[in-house]
PDB file of all heavy atoms in Angstrom:
ATOM      1  N   THR A 920       5.684   3.085   1.084  1.00 98.00           N
ATOM      2  CA  THR A 920       5.315   2.768   2.438  1.00 98.00           C
ATOM      3  C   THR A 920       5.743   3.933   3.319  1.00 98.00           C
ATOM      4  O   THR A 920       6.857   4.338   3.036  1.00 98.00           O
ATOM      5  CB  THR A 920       5.811   1.487   2.878  1.00 98.00           C
ATOM      6  OG1 THR A 920       7.290   1.283   2.688  1.00 98.00           O
ATOM      7  CG2 THR A 920       5.173   0.281   2.263  1.00 98.00           C
ATOM      8  N   ALA A 921       5.046   4.391   4.269  1.00 98.00           N
ATOM      9  CA  ALA A 921       5.432   5.477   5.052  1.00 98.00           C
ATOM     10  C   ALA A 921       6.551   5.116   6.045  1.00 98.00           C
ATOM     11  O   ALA A 921       7.216   5.816   6.633  1.00 98.00           O
ATOM     12  CB  ALA A 921       4.171   5.938   5.961  1.00 98.00           C
ATOM     13  N   SER A 922       6.752   3.760   6.200  1.00 97.00           N
ATOM     14  CA  SER A 922       7.743   3.230   7.040  1.00 97.00           C
ATOM     15  C   SER A 922       8.215   1.806   6.610  1.00 97.00           C
ATOM     16  O   SER A 922       7.409   1.287   5.731  1.00 97.00           O
ATOM     17  CB  SER A 922       7.361   3.115   8.674  1.00 97.00           C
ATOM     18  OG  SER A 922       6.214   2.247   8.690  1.00 97.00           O
ATOM     19  N   ASP A 923       9.179   1.336   7.065  1.00 95.00           N
ATOM     20  CA  ASP A 923       9.676  -0.011   6.563  1.00 95.00           C
ATOM     21  C   ASP A 923       8.673  -0.988   6.872  1.00 95.00           C
ATOM     22  O   ASP A 923       8.046  -0.863   7.989  1.00 95.00           O
ATOM     23  CB  ASP A 923      11.055  -0.323   7.258  1.00 95.00           C
ATOM     24  CG  ASP A 923      12.158   0.608   6.666  1.00 95.00           C
ATOM     25  OD1 ASP A 923      12.001   1.333   5.697  1.00 95.00           O
ATOM     26  OD2 ASP A 923      13.244   0.365   7.251  1.00 95.00           O
ATOM     27  N   ILE A 924       8.706  -2.022   6.072  1.00 98.00           N
ATOM     28  CA  ILE A 924       7.870  -3.238   6.347  1.00 98.00           C
ATOM     29  C   ILE A 924       8.711  -4.490   6.494  1.00 98.00           C
ATOM     30  O   ILE A 924       9.861  -4.491   5.921  1.00 98.00           O
ATOM     31  CB  ILE A 924       6.765  -3.420   5.315  1.00 98.00           C
ATOM     32  CG1 ILE A 924       7.371  -3.740   3.900  1.00 98.00           C
ATOM     33  CG2 ILE A 924       5.804  -2.272   5.325  1.00 98.00           C
ATOM     34  CD1 ILE A 924       6.481  -4.344   3.038  1.00 98.00           C
ATOM     35  N   PRO A 925       8.324  -5.478   7.118  1.00 97.00           N
ATOM     36  CA  PRO A 925       8.946  -6.754   7.069  1.00 97.00           C
ATOM     37  C   PRO A 925       9.209  -7.179   5.722  1.00 97.00           C
ATOM     38  O   PRO A 925       8.352  -7.319   4.867  1.00 97.00           O
ATOM     39  CB  PRO A 925       8.184  -7.755   7.918  1.00 97.00           C
ATOM     40  CG  PRO A 925       7.362  -6.913   8.654  1.00 97.00           C
ATOM     41  CD  PRO A 925       7.060  -5.608   7.867  1.00 97.00           C
ATOM     42  N   LYS A 926      10.450  -7.741   5.285  1.00 96.00           N
ATOM     43  CA  LYS A 926      10.763  -8.093   3.915  1.00 96.00           C
ATOM     44  C   LYS A 926       9.711  -9.265   3.442  1.00 96.00           C
ATOM     45  O   LYS A 926       9.425  -9.187   2.345  1.00 96.00           O
ATOM     46  CB  LYS A 926      12.233  -8.639   3.857  1.00 96.00           C
ATOM     47  CG  LYS A 926      12.678  -8.958   2.375  1.00 96.00           C
ATOM     48  CD  LYS A 926      14.154  -9.324   2.591  1.00 96.00           C
ATOM     49  CE  LYS A 926      14.611  -9.678   1.278  1.00 96.00           C
ATOM     50  NZ  LYS A 926      16.115 -10.141   1.378  1.00 96.00           N
ATOM     51  N   ASP A 927       9.456 -10.088   4.377  1.00 97.00           N
ATOM     52  CA  ASP A 927       8.463 -11.217   3.859  1.00 97.00           C
ATOM     53  C   ASP A 927       7.130 -10.830   3.655  1.00 97.00           C
ATOM     54  O   ASP A 927       6.292 -11.612   3.190  1.00 97.00           O
ATOM     55  CB  ASP A 927       8.633 -12.231   4.867  1.00 97.00           C
ATOM     56  CG  ASP A 927       8.032 -12.035   6.189  1.00 97.00           C
ATOM     57  OD1 ASP A 927       7.692 -10.857   6.542  1.00 97.00           O
ATOM     58  OD2 ASP A 927       7.912 -12.872   7.178  1.00 97.00           O
ATOM     59  N   LYS A 928       6.672  -9.519   3.828  1.00 98.00           N
ATOM     60  CA  LYS A 928       5.429  -9.079   3.546  1.00 98.00           C
ATOM     61  C   LYS A 928       5.384  -8.324   2.241  1.00 98.00           C
ATOM     62  O   LYS A 928       4.263  -7.746   1.834  1.00 98.00           O
ATOM     63  CB  LYS A 928       4.999  -8.159   4.638  1.00 98.00           C
ATOM     64  CG  LYS A 928       4.639  -8.826   5.965  1.00 98.00           C
ATOM     65  CD  LYS A 928       3.355  -9.526   5.912  1.00 98.00           C
ATOM     66  CE  LYS A 928       2.845  -9.831   7.260  1.00 98.00           C
ATOM     67  NZ  LYS A 928       1.539 -10.386   7.148  1.00 98.00           N
ATOM     68  N   ILE A 929       6.443  -8.121   1.497  1.00 98.00           N
ATOM     69  CA  ILE A 929       6.468  -7.354   0.209  1.00 98.00           C
ATOM     70  C   ILE A 929       5.349  -7.742  -0.713  1.00 98.00           C
ATOM     71  O   ILE A 929       4.635  -7.009  -1.294  1.00 98.00           O
ATOM     72  CB  ILE A 929       7.854  -7.461  -0.480  1.00 98.00           C
ATOM     73  CG1 ILE A 929       8.747  -6.637   0.465  1.00 98.00           C
ATOM     74  CG2 ILE A 929       7.762  -6.774  -1.804  1.00 98.00           C
ATOM     75  CD1 ILE A 929      10.216  -6.558  -0.001  1.00 98.00           C
ATOM     76  N   PHE A 930       5.280  -9.075  -0.902  1.00 98.00           N
ATOM     77  CA  PHE A 930       4.281  -9.685  -1.952  1.00 98.00           C
ATOM     78  C   PHE A 930       2.811  -9.360  -1.395  1.00 98.00           C
ATOM     79  O   PHE A 930       1.980  -9.083  -2.291  1.00 98.00           O
ATOM     80  CB  PHE A 930       4.482 -11.053  -2.248  1.00 98.00           C
ATOM     81  CG  PHE A 930       5.688 -11.276  -2.956  1.00 98.00           C
ATOM     82  CD1 PHE A 930       6.907 -11.853  -2.445  1.00 98.00           C
ATOM     83  CD2 PHE A 930       5.836 -10.912  -4.396  1.00 98.00           C
ATOM     84  CE1 PHE A 930       8.020 -12.111  -3.061  1.00 98.00           C
ATOM     85  CE2 PHE A 930       7.041 -11.182  -5.027  1.00 98.00           C
ATOM     86  CZ  PHE A 930       8.153 -11.753  -4.431  1.00 98.00           C
ATOM     87  N   ASP A 931       2.572  -9.408  -0.223  1.00 98.00           N
ATOM     88  CA  ASP A 931       1.315  -9.200   0.387  1.00 98.00           C
ATOM     89  C   ASP A 931       0.997  -7.663   0.117  1.00 98.00           C
ATOM     90  O   ASP A 931      -0.169  -7.215  -0.286  1.00 98.00           O
ATOM     91  CB  ASP A 931       1.107  -9.526   1.794  1.00 98.00           C
ATOM     92  CG  ASP A 931       1.287 -10.989   2.102  1.00 98.00           C
ATOM     93  OD1 ASP A 931       1.002 -11.755   1.159  1.00 98.00           O
ATOM     94  OD2 ASP A 931       1.799 -11.306   3.217  1.00 98.00           O
ATOM     95  N   VAL A 932       1.923  -6.874   0.490  1.00 98.00           N
ATOM     96  CA  VAL A 932       1.714  -5.459   0.223  1.00 98.00           C
ATOM     97  C   VAL A 932       1.474  -4.922  -1.266  1.00 98.00           C
ATOM     98  O   VAL A 932       0.622  -4.270  -1.564  1.00 98.00           O
ATOM     99  CB  VAL A 932       2.951  -4.577   0.778  1.00 98.00           C
ATOM    100  CG1 VAL A 932       2.954  -3.119   0.288  1.00 98.00           C
ATOM    101  CG2 VAL A 932       2.929  -4.641   2.305  1.00 98.00           C
ATOM    102  N   MET A 933       2.257  -5.665  -2.147  1.00 98.00           N
ATOM    103  CA  MET A 933       2.183  -5.328  -3.590  1.00 98.00           C
ATOM    104  C   MET A 933       0.762  -5.845  -3.999  1.00 98.00           C
ATOM    105  O   MET A 933       0.107  -5.226  -4.972  1.00 98.00           O
ATOM    106  CB  MET A 933       3.213  -5.945  -4.391  1.00 98.00           C
ATOM    107  CG  MET A 933       4.552  -5.287  -4.212  1.00 98.00           C
ATOM    108  SD  MET A 933       4.383  -3.501  -4.621  1.00 98.00           S
ATOM    109  CE  MET A 933       3.933  -3.684  -6.294  1.00 98.00           C
ATOM    110  N   ALA A 934       0.206  -6.898  -3.497  1.00 98.00           N
ATOM    111  CA  ALA A 934      -1.084  -7.390  -3.935  1.00 98.00           C
ATOM    112  C   ALA A 934      -2.203  -6.290  -3.549  1.00 98.00           C
ATOM    113  O   ALA A 934      -3.125  -6.147  -4.330  1.00 98.00           O
ATOM    114  CB  ALA A 934      -1.394  -8.714  -3.242  1.00 98.00           C
ATOM    115  N   GLU A 935      -2.088  -5.722  -2.404  1.00 98.00           N
ATOM    116  CA  GLU A 935      -3.064  -4.675  -1.949  1.00 98.00           C
ATOM    117  C   GLU A 935      -2.859  -3.561  -2.805  1.00 98.00           C
ATOM    118  O   GLU A 935      -3.940  -2.863  -3.071  1.00 98.00           O
ATOM    119  CB  GLU A 935      -2.942  -4.415  -0.560  1.00 98.00           C
ATOM    120  CG  GLU A 935      -3.534  -5.416   0.455  1.00 98.00           C
ATOM    121  CD  GLU A 935      -3.772  -4.920   1.919  1.00 98.00           C
ATOM    122  OE1 GLU A 935      -3.929  -3.692   2.047  1.00 98.00           O
ATOM    123  OE2 GLU A 935      -3.483  -5.824   2.712  1.00 98.00           O
ATOM    124  N   ILE A 936      -1.650  -3.063  -3.197  1.00 98.00           N
ATOM    125  CA  ILE A 936      -1.394  -1.931  -3.965  1.00 98.00           C
ATOM    126  C   ILE A 936      -2.037  -2.113  -5.391  1.00 98.00           C
ATOM    127  O   ILE A 936      -2.637  -1.238  -5.933  1.00 98.00           O
ATOM    128  CB  ILE A 936       0.048  -1.595  -4.124  1.00 98.00           C
ATOM    129  CG1 ILE A 936       0.563  -1.054  -2.692  1.00 98.00           C
ATOM    130  CG2 ILE A 936       0.430  -0.551  -5.180  1.00 98.00           C
ATOM    131  CD1 ILE A 936       2.133  -0.882  -2.697  1.00 98.00           C
ATOM    132  N   ARG A 937      -1.801  -3.361  -5.917  1.00 98.00           N
ATOM    133  CA  ARG A 937      -2.365  -3.617  -7.243  1.00 98.00           C
ATOM    134  C   ARG A 937      -3.842  -3.489  -7.286  1.00 98.00           C
ATOM    135  O   ARG A 937      -4.612  -3.128  -8.299  1.00 98.00           O
ATOM    136  CB  ARG A 937      -1.994  -4.994  -7.629  1.00 98.00           C
ATOM    137  CG  ARG A 937      -0.546  -5.120  -8.277  1.00 98.00           C
ATOM    138  CD  ARG A 937      -0.282  -6.362  -9.155  1.00 98.00           C
ATOM    139  NE  ARG A 937      -0.322  -7.491  -8.175  1.00 98.00           N
ATOM    140  CZ  ARG A 937       0.781  -7.933  -7.452  1.00 98.00           C
ATOM    141  NH1 ARG A 937       1.774  -7.230  -7.550  1.00 98.00           N
ATOM    142  NH2 ARG A 937       0.647  -8.853  -6.682  1.00 98.00           N
ATOM    143  N   GLN A 938      -4.620  -3.789  -6.220  1.00 98.00           N
ATOM    144  CA  GLN A 938      -6.109  -3.685  -6.107  1.00 98.00           C
ATOM    145  C   GLN A 938      -6.542  -2.293  -5.956  1.00 98.00           C
ATOM    146  O   GLN A 938      -7.840  -2.010  -6.102  1.00 98.00           O
ATOM    147  CB  GLN A 938      -6.521  -4.478  -4.973  1.00 98.00           C
ATOM    148  CG  GLN A 938      -6.197  -6.222  -5.187  1.00 98.00           C
ATOM    149  CD  GLN A 938      -6.878  -6.675  -6.526  1.00 98.00           C
ATOM    150  OE1 GLN A 938      -8.012  -6.442  -6.813  1.00 98.00           O
ATOM    151  NE2 GLN A 938      -6.024  -7.214  -7.252  1.00 98.00           N
ATOM    152  N   CYS A 939      -5.760  -1.461  -5.371  1.00 98.00           N
ATOM    153  CA  CYS A 939      -6.091  -0.072  -5.025  1.00 98.00           C
ATOM    154  C   CYS A 939      -6.493   0.830  -6.171  1.00 98.00           C
ATOM    155  O   CYS A 939      -5.632   0.923  -7.180  1.00 98.00           O
ATOM    156  CB  CYS A 939      -4.983   0.518  -4.150  1.00 98.00           C
ATOM    157  SG  CYS A 939      -5.564   2.201  -3.550  1.00 98.00           S
ATOM    158  N   ARG A 940      -7.547   1.583  -6.113  1.00 98.00           N
ATOM    159  CA  ARG A 940      -7.844   2.570  -7.103  1.00 98.00           C
ATOM    160  C   ARG A 940      -8.291   3.758  -6.257  1.00 98.00           C
ATOM    161  O   ARG A 940      -9.096   3.736  -5.351  1.00 98.00           O
ATOM    162  CB  ARG A 940      -9.064   2.253  -8.039  1.00 98.00           C
ATOM    163  CG  ARG A 940      -8.915   0.834  -8.677  1.00 98.00           C
ATOM    164  CD  ARG A 940      -7.888   1.037  -9.877  1.00 98.00           C
ATOM    165  NE  ARG A 940      -7.850  -0.167 -10.700  1.00 98.00           N
ATOM    166  CZ  ARG A 940      -6.980  -1.103 -10.439  1.00 98.00           C
ATOM    167  NH1 ARG A 940      -6.167  -1.126  -9.483  1.00 98.00           N
ATOM    168  NH2 ARG A 940      -6.925  -2.278 -11.269  1.00 98.00           N
ATOM    169  N   VAL A 941      -7.861   5.072  -6.736  1.00 98.00           N
ATOM    170  CA  VAL A 941      -8.226   6.294  -6.069  1.00 98.00           C
ATOM    171  C   VAL A 941      -8.904   7.169  -6.925  1.00 98.00           C
ATOM    172  O   VAL A 941      -8.614   7.183  -8.203  1.00 98.00           O
ATOM    173  CB  VAL A 941      -7.051   6.804  -5.282  1.00 98.00           C
ATOM    174  CG1 VAL A 941      -6.545   5.961  -4.061  1.00 98.00           C
ATOM    175  CG2 VAL A 941      -5.946   7.251  -6.185  1.00 98.00           C
ATOM    176  N   LYS A 942      -9.650   8.154  -6.583  1.00 98.00           N
ATOM    177  CA  LYS A 942     -10.158   9.226  -7.352  1.00 98.00           C
ATOM    178  C   LYS A 942      -9.454  10.504  -7.176  1.00 98.00           C
ATOM    179  O   LYS A 942      -9.068  10.873  -6.006  1.00 98.00           O
ATOM    180  CB  LYS A 942     -11.674   9.438  -6.944  1.00 98.00           C
ATOM    181  CG  LYS A 942     -12.580   8.205  -7.303  1.00 98.00           C
ATOM    182  CD  LYS A 942     -14.040   8.474  -7.048  1.00 98.00           C
ATOM    183  CE  LYS A 942     -14.894   7.283  -6.964  1.00 98.00           C
ATOM    184  NZ  LYS A 942     -15.380   6.906  -8.158  1.00 98.00           N
ATOM    185  N   ALA A 943      -9.276  11.222  -8.329  1.00 98.00           N
ATOM    186  CA  ALA A 943      -8.542  12.480  -8.278  1.00 98.00           C
ATOM    187  C   ALA A 943      -9.426  13.484  -7.581  1.00 98.00           C
ATOM    188  O   ALA A 943     -10.601  13.365  -7.714  1.00 98.00           O
ATOM    189  CB  ALA A 943      -8.242  12.850  -9.670  1.00 98.00           C
ATOM    190  N   PRO A 944      -8.890  14.422  -6.966  1.00 98.00           N
ATOM    191  CA  PRO A 944      -7.603  14.841  -6.841  1.00 98.00           C
ATOM    192  C   PRO A 944      -6.866  13.986  -5.693  1.00 98.00           C
ATOM    193  O   PRO A 944      -7.467  13.551  -4.719  1.00 98.00           O
ATOM    194  CB  PRO A 944      -7.571  16.272  -6.444  1.00 98.00           C
ATOM    195  CG  PRO A 944      -8.815  16.485  -5.709  1.00 98.00           C
ATOM    196  CD  PRO A 944      -9.768  15.528  -6.265  1.00 98.00           C
ATOM    197  N   VAL A 945      -5.612  13.792  -5.852  1.00 98.00           N
ATOM    198  CA  VAL A 945      -4.732  13.009  -4.749  1.00 98.00           C
ATOM    199  C   VAL A 945      -3.595  14.102  -4.541  1.00 98.00           C
ATOM    200  O   VAL A 945      -3.041  14.754  -5.302  1.00 98.00           O
ATOM    201  CB  VAL A 945      -4.075  11.817  -5.321  1.00 98.00           C
ATOM    202  CG1 VAL A 945      -3.194  11.144  -4.381  1.00 98.00           C
ATOM    203  CG2 VAL A 945      -5.160  10.896  -5.851  1.00 98.00           C
ATOM    204  N   HIS A 946      -3.344  14.242  -3.118  1.00 98.00           N
ATOM    205  CA  HIS A 946      -2.246  15.121  -2.721  1.00 98.00           C
ATOM    206  C   HIS A 946      -1.180  14.410  -2.217  1.00 98.00           C
ATOM    207  O   HIS A 946      -1.345  13.327  -1.525  1.00 98.00           O
ATOM    208  CB  HIS A 946      -2.829  16.164  -1.654  1.00 98.00           C
ATOM    209  CG  HIS A 946      -4.062  16.920  -2.139  1.00 98.00           C
ATOM    210  ND1 HIS A 946      -5.307  16.476  -1.922  1.00 98.00           N
ATOM    211  CD2 HIS A 946      -4.096  18.014  -2.922  1.00 98.00           C
ATOM    212  CE1 HIS A 946      -6.065  17.422  -2.554  1.00 98.00           C
ATOM    213  NE2 HIS A 946      -5.295  18.265  -3.171  1.00 98.00           N
ATOM    214  N   ALA A 947       0.163  14.942  -2.434  1.00 98.00           N
ATOM    215  CA  ALA A 947       1.283  14.328  -1.883  1.00 98.00           C
ATOM    216  C   ALA A 947       1.086  14.131  -0.284  1.00 98.00           C
ATOM    217  O   ALA A 947       0.621  14.969   0.361  1.00 98.00           O
ATOM    218  CB  ALA A 947       2.439  15.058  -2.116  1.00 98.00           C
ATOM    219  N   GLY A 948       1.305  12.938   0.199  1.00 98.00           N
ATOM    220  CA  GLY A 948       1.153  12.661   1.587  1.00 98.00           C
ATOM    221  C   GLY A 948      -0.124  12.006   1.941  1.00 98.00           C
ATOM    222  O   GLY A 948      -0.340  11.496   3.173  1.00 98.00           O
ATOM    223  N   ASP A 949      -1.163  12.034   1.148  1.00 98.00           N
ATOM    224  CA  ASP A 949      -2.385  11.437   1.374  1.00 98.00           C
ATOM    225  C   ASP A 949      -2.156   9.801   1.661  1.00 98.00           C
ATOM    226  O   ASP A 949      -1.430   9.151   0.984  1.00 98.00           O
ATOM    227  CB  ASP A 949      -3.434  11.542   0.212  1.00 98.00           C
ATOM    228  CG  ASP A 949      -4.073  12.842  -0.049  1.00 98.00           C
ATOM    229  OD1 ASP A 949      -3.734  13.613   0.859  1.00 98.00           O
ATOM    230  OD2 ASP A 949      -4.676  12.993  -0.983  1.00 98.00           O
ATOM    231  N   VAL A 950      -2.837   9.381   2.627  1.00 98.00           N
ATOM    232  CA  VAL A 950      -2.779   8.055   2.992  1.00 98.00           C
ATOM    233  C   VAL A 950      -3.745   7.240   2.082  1.00 98.00           C
ATOM    234  O   VAL A 950      -5.017   7.540   2.166  1.00 98.00           O
ATOM    235  CB  VAL A 950      -3.270   7.676   4.446  1.00 98.00           C
ATOM    236  CG1 VAL A 950      -3.195   6.196   4.758  1.00 98.00           C
ATOM    237  CG2 VAL A 950      -2.150   8.222   5.389  1.00 98.00           C
ATOM    238  N   LEU A 951      -3.273   6.400   1.237  1.00 98.00           N
ATOM    239  CA  LEU A 951      -4.221   5.762   0.189  1.00 98.00           C
ATOM    240  C   LEU A 951      -4.702   4.375   0.777  1.00 98.00           C
ATOM    241  O   LEU A 951      -5.692   3.875   0.425  1.00 98.00           O
ATOM    242  CB  LEU A 951      -3.563   5.509  -0.996  1.00 98.00           C
ATOM    243  CG  LEU A 951      -2.954   6.946  -1.717  1.00 98.00           C
ATOM    244  CD1 LEU A 951      -2.415   6.732  -3.022  1.00 98.00           C
ATOM    245  CD2 LEU A 951      -4.120   7.930  -1.763  1.00 98.00           C
ATOM    246  N   ILE A 952      -3.735   3.710   1.567  1.00 98.00           N
ATOM    247  CA  ILE A 952      -4.042   2.397   2.199  1.00 98.00           C
ATOM    248  C   ILE A 952      -3.483   2.492   3.509  1.00 98.00           C
ATOM    249  O   ILE A 952      -2.267   2.541   3.720  1.00 98.00           O
ATOM    250  CB  ILE A 952      -3.414   1.227   1.457  1.00 98.00           C
ATOM    251  CG1 ILE A 952      -3.826   1.224  -0.034  1.00 98.00           C
ATOM    252  CG2 ILE A 952      -3.853  -0.047   2.172  1.00 98.00           C
ATOM    253  CD1 ILE A 952      -3.057   0.128  -0.860  1.00 98.00           C
ATOM    254  N   ALA A 953      -4.351   2.434   4.559  1.00 98.00           N
ATOM    255  CA  ALA A 953      -3.938   2.405   5.862  1.00 98.00           C
ATOM    256  C   ALA A 953      -3.607   0.917   6.441  1.00 98.00           C
ATOM    257  O   ALA A 953      -4.201   0.020   5.993  1.00 98.00           O
ATOM    258  CB  ALA A 953      -5.063   2.954   6.882  1.00 98.00           C
ATOM    259  N   ASN A 954      -2.483   0.786   7.132  1.00 98.00           N
ATOM    260  CA  ASN A 954      -2.156  -0.450   7.759  1.00 98.00           C
ATOM    261  C   ASN A 954      -2.096  -1.572   6.655  1.00 98.00           C
ATOM    262  O   ASN A 954      -2.629  -2.681   6.757  1.00 98.00           O
ATOM    263  CB  ASN A 954      -3.026  -0.923   8.798  1.00 98.00           C
ATOM    264  CG  ASN A 954      -2.480  -2.015   9.561  1.00 98.00           C
ATOM    265  OD1 ASN A 954      -1.416  -2.465   9.665  1.00 98.00           O
ATOM    266  ND2 ASN A 954      -3.498  -2.871  10.218  1.00 98.00           N
ATOM    267  N   VAL A 955      -1.329  -1.324   5.649  1.00 98.00           N
ATOM    268  CA  VAL A 955      -1.311  -2.225   4.478  1.00 98.00           C
ATOM    269  C   VAL A 955      -0.854  -3.604   4.870  1.00 98.00           C
ATOM    270  O   VAL A 955       0.127  -3.836   5.641  1.00 98.00           O
ATOM    271  CB  VAL A 955      -0.463  -1.659   3.291  1.00 98.00           C
ATOM    272  CG1 VAL A 955       0.987  -1.461   3.754  1.00 98.00           C
ATOM    273  CG2 VAL A 955      -0.630  -2.476   1.983  1.00 98.00           C
ATOM    274  N   ALA A 956      -1.574  -4.711   4.466  1.00 98.00           N
ATOM    275  CA  ALA A 956      -1.247  -5.989   4.783  1.00 98.00           C
ATOM    276  C   ALA A 956      -0.955  -6.257   6.230  1.00 98.00           C
ATOM    277  O   ALA A 956      -0.196  -7.153   6.478  1.00 98.00           O
ATOM    278  CB  ALA A 956      -0.039  -6.573   3.859  1.00 98.00           C
ATOM    279  N   GLY A 957      -1.592  -5.465   7.063  1.00 98.00           N
ATOM    280  CA  GLY A 957      -1.403  -5.719   8.555  1.00 98.00           C
ATOM    281  C   GLY A 957      -0.048  -5.421   9.003  1.00 98.00           C
ATOM    282  O   GLY A 957       0.379  -5.866   9.972  1.00 98.00           O
ATOM    283  N   THR A 958       0.736  -4.582   8.274  1.00 98.00           N
ATOM    284  CA  THR A 958       2.093  -4.348   8.620  1.00 98.00           C
ATOM    285  C   THR A 958       2.231  -3.134   9.636  1.00 98.00           C
ATOM    286  O   THR A 958       3.209  -2.872  10.194  1.00 98.00           O
ATOM    287  CB  THR A 958       2.955  -3.935   7.426  1.00 98.00           C
ATOM    288  OG1 THR A 958       2.423  -2.833   6.824  1.00 98.00           O
ATOM    289  CG2 THR A 958       3.063  -5.189   6.466  1.00 98.00           C
TER     290      THR A 958
END
């Protein structure tokens, strides 16, 4: 996460991360999910 998130949102964030797939190439710093779980 680019910044801290509320502790009670961790499971929601992880659920979105698990669903995410990206195509190569990927560069360090690329935003892969914006506004994850509304945080």
Side-chain angles (χ1 to χ4, degrees):
T920 51
S922 57
D923 288 352
I924 61 155
K926 187 177 174 183
D927 63 354
K928 289 285 196 169
I929 290 174
F930 290 106
D931 297 334
V932 167
M933 287 305 300
E935 283 193 34
I936 290 173
R937 276 192 297 277
Q938 297 301 312
C939 184
R940 304 287 185 271
V941 295
K942 293 184 191 269
V945 179
H946 301 95
D949 284 356
V950 174
L951 304 183
I952 306 172
N954 189 24
V955 65
T958 61

